[in-house]
Structure formats: C-alpha cells, structure tokens
C-alpha cells in the first residue's frame, strides 16, 4: 500500500516562530486560541508586517510576543505599555501591539494603562483576562471575581473585580471591545478593525485558565469554560461600558463598545507645535570599526 | 562621527549644571527623553521639553519614573538615542529597568541628580548617597558605567561621554550629578559640533539571515538592529542565547552574565577617568568625586601649607572603579582619605583595593550641605602621622 504525504500548511505558520514551538501553555489554555485569531487578523490586514512590533510584559499571556515571528519585545512585569509608548513615539511608522495579561496590564500596570488611554497613544492593546495570576501559580488579580477562590484568597476574594473596558473607556481610549476565547471569528474581525484604527485601542479577551482558575473554582475543564462562555455571552455592540460588569454567573457582555474619533498623542503634538517643530533627520550613522576616534 | 551642528549651542554660556547636562545630551544626539518631575533634576527635562521640538525630538512626561525608565528603552529600540533624568526616590523606582537595559544591552543614559535621603529626605539639598545604588541597585549581577561631574562644564562634557559610552558598550550609563553641581551656575564652553566626537550606534549591516541579535563582536559587544527593519528581533529580559531566545539553563546564564561583566571589565583600564595631582611623593592622597572634590581642595591647600605632602585623586568615572590604579598607589602612601556626601559608600571599594597597604580614612557626611574642610584637614593630618 502506498501512502501519499499531504503537505499541510497552516496559514498562520509564518507568523509564528516555528523554532520556539511548542509553546509553554497548558492544554486547554485560551491564550493560544486568541493568538490564532490575532495571526489571522494580521494576515487579512494589508499592514506591513515588517513594521509591526509586538510587546508583552510578564506572565503566561506575556509569552505571546516571543512566539510571534515579528519584532518582539518581552519587557518587565506591567510595563509593556510604557515601552510600547516609547517605541511608537520614537518611530511613528511602527504598528505597535501590546499583548499581555490582565494582571500585567491592569494590576501592576494599571497606571500605565490609564495614562496611555488618556494620552491616546497610537497602540493596540490585547489583554488576555483569565481572571488570575497564572504564571505565578494562581493568585488573585484585580480582575478576580468577588468571592472567587485563588491561592491568595483561600476564603474567596474580598475585593470587587475591576471592569477593564469601563476603565479604559473612562480614560479616553479610541476603541474598546471585549470577546472571549470562544468567539474566535468575532475576535479576529475586531482585531482587524482595531488594527486599522488610530489611537489607543483596547481589546479584552476572556480566556480560561483551566490549570488555576477553572480548577480552583470547580468550574470544570477547558471545554466546560467554552460552554460557559457560549451560554453566558450576550453580544451588545455599542453597549455603555458601565453596563458591562462581569458578575459571577451573570451575563458576559461582549462586543465592540467604544469606537470614537480622538486625535492621538503625536497628531495633537504636531498640530499644537506647528512651526515650532523642525524635522531633523536623526543622526545615527552606521558603526565603522575604525570610525570613531578613541577620544569619545 | 561628530555632533550635528544644527543642534549644538556652540559658544560660551553662563548656565547651571542641569542646563549644561541637557545641552550635553542634545549634543550627543539624544532627541528623545521621558521623565517625571523631581527636585533637583527637573530643570534638565524642563529645558529638554523646550529644546526637543527645535531638534526634531520629543519629551514625554510619563506617569512615573518606572514608566520613564522603560519608555526610553522603547525609544532606543525604535532607533533613537534617549535618556531619563531623576533624583533619589525616582532613581529607586527605576532600578528594575536598569537591570533590563543591562540584560538587553540597551544603550541608554540615566541621569541622577542626587539629593539627601533615604526616603524623601532632603529634597533640595545635596548628597552622594546613591553611588552604591548606581552600581548594585537592580537585582542580579551586571556591570554598568557611572560618571561623576564636579562642575557645570563637566555636566556638559560627561553627558556627551555618557551617551558615547552607552553606545560603545551597550550598557546603561549613569550620570551621577548632585544637587550642588546641578544648581551651580558657571561658565560652560560648548565647542563647535565638529569637536564633539560621537560614538556611532553599533547598527548592523548584516542581512537578516546572517544576523544574530546577541552575537558578540571581538570586544564582546553585539551589534543592534531596530524594530521595523525586518530583522524580527526578539528582545527579552529573560536569560537568552545569541539569537535572543530565552534559554533557561545555567550554562546560558553563565555565558551571558560573564560576557555582560567581561565587556566592561576588559575595557576597565581604558574606562578609568581620573584627575590626579601631586601623587608623586605624596604621604596622603585625598580621593573624592563630584562636588566633594572641590570642597576637599580647601583642606588639601591648608594641609600643604602645613607642610604635609598631599596628593589628590578625583574619580570622574566611579564605576568601574580604578582598581589597578589604587592597588599601585596604596603601597606608596601612608594613607588615603576619602570624603563623600554619604556615610561611606565608595570608600568600601577603596578599602578593598588598598587593604593592608595603607590606612584608609573615610570622612562621611550625612548630606544636606557640603563638608566643612576642617573635617577633611583633620583626616589628612591623622593620615600623615
Ligand atoms: C515586578 C514583578 N513582580 C512580580 C512578578 C511575578 N509575576 C510574574 S507573572 C505575574 C502575574 C501574571 O499575571 P497575568 O498578567 O494575569 O498573566 P497570566 O500569567 O495570568 O497570563 C507575576 C505577579 C514579576 N515578574 N515582576
Ligand atoms: S497556567 Fe493557565 S494561563 Fe498559564 S498556560 Fe496554563 S492554562 Fe494558560
């Protein structure tokens, strides 16, 4: 019997650093699923991948940057946004995407999140919200639902959870959306749309962490999490973000909530500076081995 | 390569150290800065905010020092030269990112105009209390370069130098000013641009297929590529191999950390920058840096009038420490006297290098003002006995 080998080419293959696979993510983790939607969105867009940069902080979600076959920056915990801000301001031609976790972006990095939205820095932020600090072993995050169990809330969280979409909306983001790891097609479309837009864009993606969040809270396995997302999600585009709180067992309001026109930081700066701004080509010449005198 | 004449304010100016530092950064090619206000460093970024649009650059006031210290690293990986400026408490907040810059070999400059501490301490008064933090403040092992100016003129000169060294070694370079030097107004001569040498960035010419982000050159320093050039660089604070890929094993750690140390250590002799006077035949040598070196001169003159043979050694580059020089000098003198505006920091290094060879006398000061020269004179006299 002869066998024919089928060449199977995964369309997003080229967007991943093949030599780094497999990923560190657990079976059933939602992060990889979102990366698939992200990669498809990047392929559909005619943006220049050479000029597309991905920045992460630290955490399981923070590992995304290192698996993407783009210019990748894996920075410090919570500080992906200010790093991305520097990148974008110093080279406005770059498409800068921050891809990281809820703990990273909203707990330790909460202040940067607020101010980047307020300044309307022209970056896209994808926030994986698994409602827990996963990489460190399942401690409570600012997004951990009230009463939920975690290793640092063994009697249930006493604190109410933060609604990220409401926060960034209030701070002035140009575009705000939320999906879950179940909504792969919708997520892809929203990322595509957000990639095209200018200003601070924020996409929250609820994602299961079967290893820590699901198990600790007796929520079943990854499949159960998907069924739960399917059952509880209500698509409400344009929904006021104060009506999108995530309550334990309640509806999960998903969709594109905010899409507003606001001048981004650099546009506003240039406009306000007017003739005071002189465009000088930066003087960074190539290094010649004998080029520099030893004086310097 | 030399400074861009369109950006250099060539001429003689009567400005303070903070302003001179800002002009030095601009002359060195910095067009980008991020910062958060704190006395006594704020004047540097205030001036930069006004100057940046004139030179095609930008200053952003970030939400805190943590943000500032990493925003500048984004600016560098976008292909620019950038720096941040702070004082004591802000410097503490920046520490994690000094480690990141060391680990990712990001050429950036941190300016710390030191004030009295710990904590909020003496916000408007001088200190040299951050010297050990400059060397060891971030977690883990790494090597950095720290310079210490003692006049507004040197704030300019050493700001240029700091950027050049950052590019040459791809390390974070610290410019350790102090309140006195920052706020002191003196004549500053800014030379014509063609007399300001600039160390060009080690930007690779290799095509992406041949380029490895952390492949060291002969001097152990790798070449850079920027975001947006098609190299698909991977920059991480994790321990990484030559491709930049994380590799979490002791062998990779040893190789990387050893190289990060070695690239500075190998060049240590060349990095030594001191101002030495009358070391030949000296019984006592006063070792100092920054503003303290100027105060110490009064005591040195008084001691010389009393017939004591006193030499002086001013450290312009404090880290790496001029270890070899001190080891050579120590057996030839009776004592080394080290006044510092702290309770004794760099003197620990001096003692280490001079141990068993001569007396080392620390002249500590809690900060807030400069030394009374009489205290230094007293130490010199004790040393001469
Ligand atoms: C300054 C600092 N504090 C703490 C940590 C430890 N740490 C690593 S990942 C993490 C939490 C990550 O949570 P999240 O961002 O939600 O990502 P996830 O792992 O859940 O995807 C923490 C606290 C760190 N690396 N740096
Ligand atoms: S610990 Fe949780 S978030 Fe991390 S990889 Fe595993 S499932 Fe995913």
């Amino acid at each position: 019997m002869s066998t024919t080998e089928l060449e199977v080419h995964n369309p997003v293959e080229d967007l991943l650093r093949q030599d780094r696979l497999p990923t560190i993510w657990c079976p059933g983790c939602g992060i990889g699923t979102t990366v698939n939607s992200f990669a498809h969105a990047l392929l559909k867009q005619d943006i220049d991948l050479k000029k597309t940069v991905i920045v992460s902080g630290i955490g399981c979600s923070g590992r995304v940057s290192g698996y993407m076959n783009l210019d990748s920056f894996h920075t410090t915990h919570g500080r992906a946004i200010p790093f991305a801000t520097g990148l974008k301001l110093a080279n406005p031609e770059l498409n800068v995407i921050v891809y990281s976790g809820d703990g990273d972006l909203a707990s330790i990095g909460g202040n940067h999140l607020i101010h980047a939205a307020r300044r309307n820095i022209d970056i896209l932020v994808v926030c994986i919200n698994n409602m827990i600090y996963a990489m460190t072993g399942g401690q409570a995050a600012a997004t951990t639902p009230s009463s939920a169990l975690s290793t640092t809330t063994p009697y249930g969280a006493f604190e109410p959870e933060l609604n990220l979409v409401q926060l960034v909306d209030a701070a002035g983001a140009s575009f705000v959306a939320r999906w879950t790891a179940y909504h792969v097609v919708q997520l892809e479309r929203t990322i595509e749309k957000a990639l095209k837009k200018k200003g601070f864009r924020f996409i929250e993606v609820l994602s299961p962490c079967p290893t820590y969040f699901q198990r600790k809270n007796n929520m079943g396995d990854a499949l159960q999490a998907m069924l739960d997302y399917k059952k509880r999600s209500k698509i409400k585009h344009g929904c006021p973000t104060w009506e999108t709180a995530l309550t334990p067992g309640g509806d999960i309001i998903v969709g594109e909530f905010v899409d507003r026109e606001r001048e981004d930081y650099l546009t506003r700066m240039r406009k306000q500076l007017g003739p005071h701004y002189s465009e000088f080509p930066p003087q960074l010449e190539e290094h010649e081995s004998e080029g520099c005198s030893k004086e310097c | 390569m030399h400074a861009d004449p369109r950006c250099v304010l060539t001429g003689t100016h009567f400005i303070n150290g903070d302003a001179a530092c800002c002009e030095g950064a601009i002359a060195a090619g910095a067009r980008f800065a991020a910062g958060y206000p704190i006395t006594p460093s704020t004047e540097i970024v205030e001036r930069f905010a006004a100057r940046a649009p004139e030179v095609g650059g930008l200053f952003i006031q970030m939400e805190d020092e943590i943000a500032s210290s990493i925003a500048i690293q984004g600016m560098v990986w976008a292909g620019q030269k950038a720096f941040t400026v702070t004082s004591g408490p802000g410097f503490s907040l920046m520490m994690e990112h000094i480690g990141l810059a060391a680990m990712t070999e990001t050429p950036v400059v941190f300016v710390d105009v030191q004030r009295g501490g710990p904590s909020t301490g003496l916000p408007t008064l001088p200190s040299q209390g951050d010297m050990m933090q400059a060397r060891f403040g971030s977690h883990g092992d790494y090597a950095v370069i720290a310079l210490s100016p003692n006049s507004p003129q040197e704030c300019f000169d050493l700001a240029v130098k700091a950027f050049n060294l950052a590019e040459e070694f791809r390390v974070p370079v610290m410019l350790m000013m102090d309140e006195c030097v920052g706020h002191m107004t003196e004549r500053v001569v800014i030379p014509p641009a063609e007399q300001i040498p600039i160390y060009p960035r080690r930007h690779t010419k290799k095509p992406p297929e041949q380029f490895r982000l952390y492949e060291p050159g002969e001097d152990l320093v790798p070449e850079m590529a920027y975001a947006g050039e098609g190299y698909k660089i991977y920059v991480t604070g994790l321990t990484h191999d030559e491709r930049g890929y994380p590799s979490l094993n002791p062998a990779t750690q040893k190789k990387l950390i050893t190289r990060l140390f070695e690239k500075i250590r190998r060049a240590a002799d060349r990095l030594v920058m001191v101002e030495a006077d009358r070391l030949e035949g000296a019984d006592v040598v006063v070792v100092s840096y920054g503003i303290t070196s100027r105060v110490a001169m009064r005591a040195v003159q008084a001691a010389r009038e009393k017939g004591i043979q006193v030499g002086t050694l001013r450290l312009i580059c404090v880290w790496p420490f001029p270890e070899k020089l001190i080891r050579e000098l120590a057996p030839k003198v009776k004592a080394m006297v080290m006044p510092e505006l702290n309770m004794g920091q760099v003197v620990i290094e001096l003692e280490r290098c001079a141990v068993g060879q001569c007396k080392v006398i620390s002249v500590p000061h809690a900060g807030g003002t400069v030394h009374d020269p009489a205290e230094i004179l007293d130490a010199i006299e004790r040393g001469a006995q």
Side-chain angles (χ1 to χ4, degrees):
Chain A
M1 199 176 84
S2 71
T3 55
T4 334
E5 282 218 0
L6 266 183
E7 276 265 338
V8 184
H9 179 77
N10 183 336
V12 301
E13 215 170 81
D14 297 342
L15 269 173
L16 302 173
R17 291 185 195 266
Q18 296 293 325
D19 49 355
R20 289 214 65 226
L21 299 180
T23 69
I24 58 153
W25 298 314
C26 312
C29 177
I31 300 172
T33 314
T34 72
V35 170
N36 198 38
S37 299
F38 173 60
H40 275 101
L42 280 180
L43 288 178
K44 286 220 183 111
Q45 270 285 345
D46 58 352
I47 60 170
D48 186 357
L49 291 177
K50 203 172 128 182
K51 298 251 179 264
T52 303
V53 186
I54 183 158
V55 186
S56 290
I58 304 294
C60 297
S61 315
R63 292 301 182 101
V64 170
S65 60
Y67 294 119
M68 299 301 301
N69 199 15
L70 301 167
D71 286 320
S72 322
F73 294 93
H74 183 222
T75 65
T76 45
H77 188 35
R79 319 301 172 192
I81 287 179
F83 185 94
T85 299
L87 267 177
K88 182 69 196 184
L89 296 184
N91 182 358
E93 280 182 22
L94 299 175
N95 315 307
V96 181
I97 298 147
V98 170
Y99 211 121
S100 212
D102 52 309
D104 189 81
L105 293 166
S107 295
I108 187 168
N111 199 29
H112 310 310
L113 179 66
I114 293 170
H115 291 285
R118 173 180 69 84
R119 294 184 181 116
N120 208 18
I121 300 286
D122 184 27
I123 58 176
L124 164 63
V125 177
V126 179
C127 174
I128 302 297
N129 183 0
N130 54 17
M131 304 185 168
I132 201 105
Y133 286 178
M135 182 156 267
T136 40
Q139 301 82 14
T143 43
T144 299
S146 181
S147 309
L149 296 172
S150 75
T151 53
T152 48
T153 55
Y155 305 101
F158 308 133
E159 300 171 20
E161 62 289 325
L162 189 60
N163 183 354
L164 305 183
V165 291
Q166 189 184 359
L167 178 77
V168 290
D169 173 18
S174 292
F175 183 88
V176 184
R178 174 197 282 153
W179 293 107
T180 77
Y182 169 75
H183 298 93
V184 285
V185 179
Q186 293 91 332
L187 176 60
E188 184 185 318
R189 285 200 199 118
T190 294
I191 294 176
E192 255 189 273
K193 187 165 172 184
L195 282 168
K196 278 196 214 121
K197 209 175 149 74
K198 217 170 158 57
F200 188 83
R201 296 144 280 156
F202 183 82
I203 304 172
E204 177 184 26
V205 193
L206 302 187
S207 169
C209 170
T211 308
Y212 294 112
F213 190 69
Q214 260 52 35
R215 190 164 61 192
K216 188 97 191 165
N217 287 285
N218 292 322
M219 293 168 76
D221 58 7
L223 180 64
Q224 189 56 46
M226 289 296 161
L227 291 172
D228 194 48
Y229 286 153
K230 183 179 173 201
K231 196 173 83 200
R232 286 170 56 200
S233 293
K234 300 275 176 308
I235 300 178
K236 284 193 191 172
H237 295 300
C239 179
T241 53
W242 62 84
E243 291 173 10
T244 62
L246 294 164
T247 52
D251 286 351
I252 300 172
I253 309 296
V254 292
E256 293 169 4
F257 307 133
V258 175
D259 189 353
R260 60 166 83 97
E261 294 310 315
R262 253 189 89 205
E263 266 171 1
D264 74 292
Y265 182 95
L266 278 175
T267 309
R268 170 135 197 193
M269 182 194 92
R270 289 285 164 83
K271 204 189 240 182
Q272 214 161 304
L273 282 172
H276 296 292
Y277 186 77
S278 30
E279 189 109 35
F280 280 174
Q283 212 201 14
L284 277 176
E285 275 170 25
E286 311 289 293
H287 174 70
E288 303 289 349
S289 34
E290 77 289 3
C292 187
S293 81
K294 285 293 168 214
E295 294 306 305
C296 63
Chain B
M1 187 180 163
H2 295 98
D4 184 341
R6 294 169 300 179
C7 305
V8 178
L9 290 188
T10 300
T12 303
H13 305 266
F14 191 60
I15 51 177
N16 67 23
D18 281 352
C21 168
C22 174
E23 290 306 328
I26 293 171
R31 301 286 173 266
F32 288 78
Y36 188 83
I38 183 167
T39 309
S41 71
T42 318
E43 290 94 330
I44 304 176
V45 287
E46 284 172 353
R47 188 176 176 109
F48 193 82
R51 290 275 278 130
E54 300 170 7
V55 297
L58 169 159
F59 167 70
I60 182 165
Q61 183 171 320
M62 295 298 287
E63 51 276 13
D64 57 29
E65 287 86 349
I66 300 175
S68 307
S69 59
I70 193 159
I72 57 169
Q73 301 190 38
M75 292 165 178
V76 169
W77 285 101
Q80 297 291 350
K81 285 194 185 181
F83 70 119
T84 189
V85 169
T86 192
S87 300
F91 200 48
S92 295
L93 290 181
M94 291 179 176
M95 282 303 139
E96 188 183 6
H97 290 140
I98 288 175
L100 179 74
M103 192 61 148
T104 56
E105 298 178 72
T106 303
V108 274
V109 172
F110 291 84
V111 180
D112 177 14
V113 189
Q114 297 166 86
R115 57 188 239 174
S119 191
T120 311
L122 301 168
T124 57
L125 299 173
S127 148
Q128 294 174 326
D130 307 346
M131 297 309 294
M132 277 298 177
Q133 196 184 17
R135 172 65 193 84
F136 288 113
S138 195
H139 55 283
D141 272 332
Y142 59 96
V144 291
I145 298 172
L147 309 177
S148 169
N150 79 348
S151 65
Q153 179 68 50
E154 266 194 3
C155 290
F156 177 88
D157 297 342
L158 294 186
V160 174
K161 187 106 195 165
F163 279 93
N164 284 342
L165 292 172
E167 297 297 338
E168 181 173 359
F169 292 96
R170 284 190 59 188
V171 282
V173 176
M174 256 64 66
L175 184 62
M176 302 302 288
M177 296 168 48
D178 61 63
E179 186 276 334
C180 286
V181 167
H183 284 162
M184 167 193 296
T185 300
E186 283 183 348
R187 204 169 86 111
V188 173
V189 179
I190 301 183
E194 65 272 17
Q195 288 171 25
I196 305 176
I198 299 297
Y199 196 99
R201 178 147 302 166
R202 292 166 177 267
H203 187 209
T204 191
K205 289 195 181 75
K206 289 184 183 161
E209 322 78 75
Q210 285 169 23
F211 178 68
R212 288 154 80 88
L213 186 58
Y214 289 106
E215 183 181 1
E218 247 173 56
D219 55 3
L220 302 183
V221 185
E223 293 179 332
M224 272 190 104
Y226 309 137
E229 295 187 314
Y231 285 89
K232 296 185 178 171
I233 54 176
Y234 181 5
V235 177
T236 175
L238 286 167
T239 296
H240 45 265
D241 62 18
E242 289 188 355
R243 290 170 301 175
Y245 284 19
S247 171
L248 307 187
N249 65 54
T252 317
Q253 170 82 350
K254 182 175 171 196
K255 192 168 168 204
L256 175 60
I257 303 302
T258 308
R259 181 174 65 75
L260 295 183
F261 261 90
E262 210 51 34
K263 69 178 179 179
I264 305 292
R265 198 177 283 167
R266 259 200 211 172
D269 286 349
R270 195 156 58 76
L271 280 168
V272 168
M273 258 184 283
V274 290
E275 190 178 70
D277 181 44
R278 298 201 220 174
L279 294 184
E280 208 59 47
D283 283 328
V284 178
V285 172
V286 175
V287 183
S288 60
Y289 55 89
I291 191 62
T292 311
S293 62
R294 293 176 68 152
V295 181
M297 275 320 290
R298 276 284 290 279
V300 170
Q301 273 153 9
R304 282 175 185 161
E305 278 160 23
K306 290 189 173 189
I308 305 173
Q309 300 297 313
V310 193
T312 57
L313 186 67
R314 176 165 76 95
L315 312 181
I316 300 171
C317 176
V318 179
W319 306 124
F321 189 73
E323 179 160 349
K324 201 160 117 196
L325 186 68
I326 299 292
R327 286 191 197 284
E328 281 165 11
L329 194 56
K332 298 182 190 153
V333 301
K334 286 187 187 164
M336 293 196 190
V337 168
M338 186 155 199
E340 295 179 85
L341 282 187
N342 55 49
M343 298 309 282
Q345 294 193 7
V346 180
V347 73
I348 298 171
E349 194 67 352
L350 186 65
E351 279 166 348
R352 184 179 72 81
C353 298
V355 68
Q357 302 293 324
C358 71
K359 277 190 279 186
V360 172
I361 305 174
S362 168
V363 189
H365 193 299
T369 177
V370 292
H371 282 80
D372 178 345
E375 295 168 59
I376 305 172
L377 176 61
D378 177 60
I380 295 172
E381 285 176 327
R382 276 186 284 135
Q385 280 162 16

